[in-house]
Amino acid sequence: MHNDVLDSLSDYPFDRLRALLGDSTPPDGCAPIYMQIGEPKHAPPELIAPIVTQDMSEWGRYPPPNGPVDLRAAIAGWLTSRYDLPAGMVDPARHIAIVSGTREALFMAALLAVPREKRGQQPAVLMPNPFYQVYVGAGALARGEAIYLSAGPETFFQPDFGTVGEDTLARTALAYLNTPANPQGSVASLDRLKQAVTLAREHDFVLAVDECYSEIYTGTKPPGLLDACRELGGDHPFANTLVFHSLSKRSNVPGLRSGFVAGDPNLIRLLLRLRQYGGAQVPLPLMHASAALWRDEAHVQESRELYRQKFDLALDMLDGAFGAERPGGGFYLWLDVGDSEAAARTLWTEAGLRVLPGAYMARDNADGSNPGAAYIRMALVHDLDTTKDAITRLLNTLANQAPA
Ligand SMILES: Cc1ncc(COP(=O)(O)O)c(C=O)c1O
């Protein structure tokens, strides 16, 4: 006996990639380059080393579930300056929940938001297509019905909430939005964010905006949920909304497992209750390190500059092949190669390049089309030389598939 929903979730993209490639290996003498996973490889900031070992007695204590006030104050300060918020708009006591990485929190968002039924029907969970896989598992395990909103070139790679019918909106309990988006790197405009917030309030659902790539961009910083909340104003500026931020990509510390959720005080209170039952606290020394990271922008700028150099190089080499464009944010190349599984297999077996087929990050639309099927995702997480090597291999291997 087990929860049978789990049987429908046996398709995590990395498992599917392992199954696709099986025992096949790169050609002899060809050192593999792993670009399938979005794990930052820039050095973690040195500043955290002394903090983590400062007070060994803290490892002998259970961490306070919502962290020390100092961490929430650092986060409130960061949000206020990043999103130009009026002083005091974010209250560290009411608007912030500390979480052990945003993956867990995004999962819990569904347990938090999805009731047994809404207006007598099965609740709907809206999500972009392609998607970050966690949204799918969370929606399903919370017994919601996933409604996939196509996010291909026709909608500038972001879901268009305006296409959702009134009947569906009426039973929607939760909507996930990801900006900058994994995998496409697309950014939701401020107008689109405001539209999503307005719909969430009109139809009383929770809008969960995943912004873990918000600090990786070239040029203009991407707008975020809190820009929309600031502009819409009102007595309850965060009503119905939650935003998810992480140190994993911003500060190159995916191993620290540290992030936060900010937004609607009622939802934050319920999230904290939920975490009391099923959440792992971030260890206290790591919370101190997290506070120092949120207060420091120098390492973030340095990292952003490294990504800029890699995108400059890669885009120059690709020269528009496979529809390559500079993403609005994030560190992925999302390349139109025609058949993503075939390309991933060829790149691995002929060039030792491991990439993720876009088909594994998407579901079929109602018309049977799959908005990820033609694309591969390459994470530009390595150094400049490795990036150059990878793009050279890509071009040499798939040259005959590049659109003219
Ligand atoms: C879109 C998106 N959201 C959330 C996460 C989770 O990040 P973390 O749990 O490290 O904060 C990831 C990680 O790859 C991601 O790509």
Side-chain angles (χ1 to χ4, degrees):
M1 188 69 188
H2 64 278
N3 184 344
D4 55 326
V5 177
L6 286 166
D7 297 331
S8 67
L9 296 178
S10 55
D11 59 350
Y12 211 77
F14 302 118
D15 295 336
R16 291 178 73 186
L17 180 62
R18 268 188 292 275
L20 176 79
L21 301 180
D23 294 334
S24 63
T25 53
D28 280 349
C30 176
I33 304 179
Y34 296 98
M35 300 183 102
Q36 79 279 25
I37 297 189
E39 182 180 75
K41 300 283 182 213
H42 302 166
E46 295 281 339
L47 66 93
I48 61 176
I51 303 174
V52 169
T53 49
Q54 197 169 291
D55 180 357
M56 292 302 284
S57 72
E58 288 188 336
W59 292 101
R61 291 168 51 195
Y62 282 112
N66 204 22
V69 175
D70 180 61
L71 172 55
R72 278 177 280 128
I75 289 168
W78 180 77
L79 286 173
T80 302
S81 96
R82 170 64 172 82
Y83 297 100
D84 260 329
L85 305 178
M89 183 170 162
V90 179
D91 178 354
R94 296 167 57 235
H95 295 135
I96 295 171
I98 304 301
V99 296
S100 165
T102 49
R103 174 200 186 92
E104 171 207 277
L106 287 160
F107 179 81
M108 286 198 178
L111 300 184
L112 166 75
V114 180
R116 269 174 264 201
E117 52 182 41
K118 186 172 177 194
R119 302 212 165 97
Q121 298 175 79
Q122 184 186 18
V125 177
L126 311 184
M127 60 188 75
N129 190 25
F131 41 72
Y132 176 50
Q133 197 75 12
V134 169
Y135 313 151
V136 176
L141 284 159
R143 311 276 168 175
E145 182 198 345
I147 307 286
Y148 298 102
L149 304 183
S150 191
E154 64 294 342
T155 57
F156 305 100
F157 297 104
Q158 279 285 334
D160 181 358
F161 281 66
T163 61
V164 184
E166 288 291 318
D167 288 354
T168 304
L169 286 170
R171 67 183 178 94
T172 295
L174 171 65
Y176 286 108
L177 193 62
N178 181 205
T179 179
N182 172 10
Q184 314 95 313
S186 52
V187 167
S189 66
L190 189 51
D191 278 349
R192 238 179 226 204
L193 286 161
K194 288 202 289 197
Q195 177 204 30
V197 173
T198 305
L199 281 176
R201 291 178 185 163
E202 275 171 17
H203 297 276
D204 195 20
F205 61 81
V206 175
L207 176 67
V209 188
D210 177 357
E211 297 189 24
C212 72
Y213 294 96
S214 68
E215 302 315 289
I216 302 170
Y217 55 87
T218 315
T220 328
K221 62 181 180 180
L225 171 72
L226 297 194
D227 287 305
C229 292
R230 184 199 63 233
E231 290 221 345
L232 290 167
D235 290 344
H236 301 287
F238 303 120
N240 292 70
T241 64
L242 292 172
V243 64
F244 298 70
H245 279 283
S246 173
L247 287 172
S248 298
K249 324 284 179 182
R250 171 188 180 269
S251 299
N252 302 310
V253 286
L256 195 68
R257 308 310 305 132
S258 181
F260 70 86
V261 185
D264 185 322
N266 285 330
L267 298 173
I268 292 291
R269 184 176 51 79
L270 292 170
L271 178 63
L272 291 172
R273 182 183 299 170
L274 184 52
R275 295 195 80 259
Q276 274 181 327
Y277 286 87
Q281 296 107 300
V282 182
L284 206 38
L286 304 189
M287 296 219 230
H288 299 317
S290 303
L293 289 172
W294 288 114
R295 288 193 169 107
D296 183 69
E297 284 300 319
H299 73 277
V300 185
Q301 277 163 20
E302 240 170 72
S303 191
R304 198 180 291 139
E305 173 58 16
L306 294 178
Y307 285 119
R308 185 192 63 75
Q309 290 170 9
K310 289 186 276 186
F311 273 110
D312 282 355
L313 174 85
L315 293 171
D316 194 40
M317 291 174 76
L318 286 162
D319 194 21
F322 311 113
E325 278 183 17
R326 190 181 298 276
F331 50 53
Y332 299 109
L333 278 174
W334 183 238
L335 301 176
D336 182 351
V337 293
D339 177 340
S340 64
E341 279 189 316
R345 205 182 302 111
T346 307
L347 287 169
W348 178 244
T349 55
E350 294 183 18
L353 196 57
R354 207 156 170 117
V355 301
L356 193 66
Y360 297 174
M361 300 193 74
R363 288 282 160 87
D364 288 352
N365 288 321
D367 63 4
S369 63
N370 181 318
Y375 294 83
I376 52 168
R377 189 191 79 173
M378 288 174 75
L380 291 197
V381 290
H382 298 285
D383 61 22
L384 208 53
D385 285 345
T386 312
T387 306
K388 188 173 180 185
D389 189 1
I391 302 295
T392 306
R393 293 187 199 189
L394 173 85
L395 284 169
N396 290 343
T397 314
L398 297 186
N400 55 350
Q401 291 178 33

